[in-house]
Amino acid sequence: MQFVVASHNHDKIEELQRSFRVCNNEVIPYTDLLPKIKFPPEGNRSYEKNASDKALFISKLLPDRLVIADDSGLLLTARPEILGVRTARDLTDYPTPHQYAQHIIRLVQGKNRTFIMQTSIACAHQGKIIKVVDDTLKGQIASTERGINGEGFSRILIPRDSTKTLAQMTFNESYPYLTRARAAEKLIRFLKENRDQC
Ligand SMILES: O=c1[nH]c(=O)c2ncn([C@@H]3O[C@H](COP(=O)(O)OP(=O)(O)OP(=O)(O)O)[C@@H](O)[C@H]3O)c2[nH]1
């Protein structure tokens, strides 16, 4: 299957391409087919709604394609009033992965270090949502950035049953923890089981 991804985030597009390739699928950015367009503003209601809004927006312009969109965020137990579904907007003052990783480390300093990372992927066809899948990862925020296989969140997220950050793992080791990869698997499984829906 070929998917068109509604995203402007280069790292996210690459991770989705890797996640879908495992199952022999292909992901292309919508900008391969259309000029770059501003997405509708994200809301504060849910990751599912934000992902669906992006997928629907591009699906209406490319109705015959399977369009996917992802919304991800990080919720800190110590600061539940920020980040989460607003992660992209709350991190705008920290534009580089190193800057936002350091900011998050500071936010949990001396406090509860647990986090929940969530990804929702919406899939649209003919201007309608056909499926939304979610996945979450729980664990602890590291006290310093660690690892070379990734940046940003990957260098500070330690999954619950590990002592390493995601960036300290090889890709094969980290794959089972990646919310985007696991959500992608759920979507592909759904589409294979319900081929007549699309
Ligand atoms: O190091 C990271 N590894 C990740 O895996 C990851 N996923 C999300 N983020 C951060 O969370 C915001 C929300 O992202 P988001 O889902 O709203 O997407 P976005 O606005 O960047 O792109 P788009 O897809 O909407 O064009 C993004 O800006 C990033 O700061 C990540 N950082």
Side-chain angles (χ1 to χ4, degrees), residues 5-9 11-12 15 39 42 50 54 69-74 84-89 91 94 97 100 117 119 151-155 179-180:
V5 60
S7 176
H8 298 134
N9 180 327
D11 293 339
K12 180 191 286 192
E15 197 179 311
F39 294 149
E42 289 189 348
N50 290 344
K54 284 187 272 192
D70 157 312
D71 193 42
S72 298
L74 184 69
V85 73
R86 301 181 39 88
T87 299
R89 284 157 287 161
L91 294 180
Y94 308 91
Y100 65 72
M117 163 101 190
T119 291
E151 48 182 17
F153 292 172
S154 301
R155 301 192 67 202
T179 52
R180 223 164 252 140

Side-chain angles (χ1 to χ4, degrees), residues 3-183:
F3 297 87
V4 174
V5 60
S7 176
H8 298 134
N9 180 327
H10 185 71
D11 293 339
K12 180 191 286 192
I13 294 170
E14 270 188 10
E15 197 179 311
L16 284 168
Q17 285 173 324
R18 275 201 305 274
S19 303
F20 279 75
R21 203 178 299 137
V22 171
C23 310
N24 277 328
N25 294 290
E26 191 192 6
V27 172
I28 60 166
Y30 84 91
T31 47
D32 281 3
L33 306 170
L34 295 172
K36 189 172 174 184
I37 323 164
K38 199 172 180 332
F39 294 149
E42 289 189 348
N44 295 335
R45 211 169 86 197
S46 68
Y47 298 99
E48 290 87 348
K49 168 97 171 55
N50 290 344
S52 299
D53 286 350
K54 284 187 272 192
L56 280 176
F57 184 68
I58 295 300
S59 177
K60 285 179 183 153
L61 302 171
L62 296 170
D64 296 331
R65 301 298 189 121
L66 274 177
V67 178
I68 54 170
D70 157 312
D71 193 42
S72 298
L74 184 69
L75 190 67
L76 301 174
T77 308
R79 298 296 305 272
E81 75 285 10
I82 56 168
L83 302 177
V85 73
R86 301 181 39 88
T87 299
R89 284 157 287 161
D90 285 349
L91 294 180
T92 46
D93 289 344
Y94 308 91
T96 69
H98 172 64
Q99 285 170 330
Y100 65 72
Q102 287 297 317
H103 173 60
I104 291 163
I105 290 172
R106 279 193 299 272
L107 285 173
V108 298
Q109 205 134 34
K111 304 195 177 92
N112 186 327
R113 309 191 77 85
T114 56
F115 73 84
I116 303 176
M117 163 101 190
Q118 180 166 337
T119 291
S120 294
I121 299 179
C123 181
H125 189 241
Q126 305 282 5
K128 290 194 187 111
I129 293 295
I130 55 176
K131 185 73 178 167
V132 184
V133 287
D134 302 302
D135 199 82
T136 56
L137 173 70
K138 292 184 180 175
Q140 302 266 331
I141 302 292
S143 51
T144 54
E145 287 181 76
R146 299 199 319 237
I148 51 168
N149 298 323
E151 48 182 17
F153 292 172
S154 301
R155 301 192 67 202
I156 55 169
L157 301 189
I158 305 172
R160 208 159 42 177
D161 61 353
S162 177
T163 54
K164 293 183 194 173
T165 66
L166 295 173
Q168 287 178 298
M169 302 179 190
T170 64
F171 177 69
N172 283 349
E173 275 175 321
S174 65
Y175 189 81
Y177 297 114
L178 301 180
T179 52
R180 223 164 252 140
R182 293 192 307 212

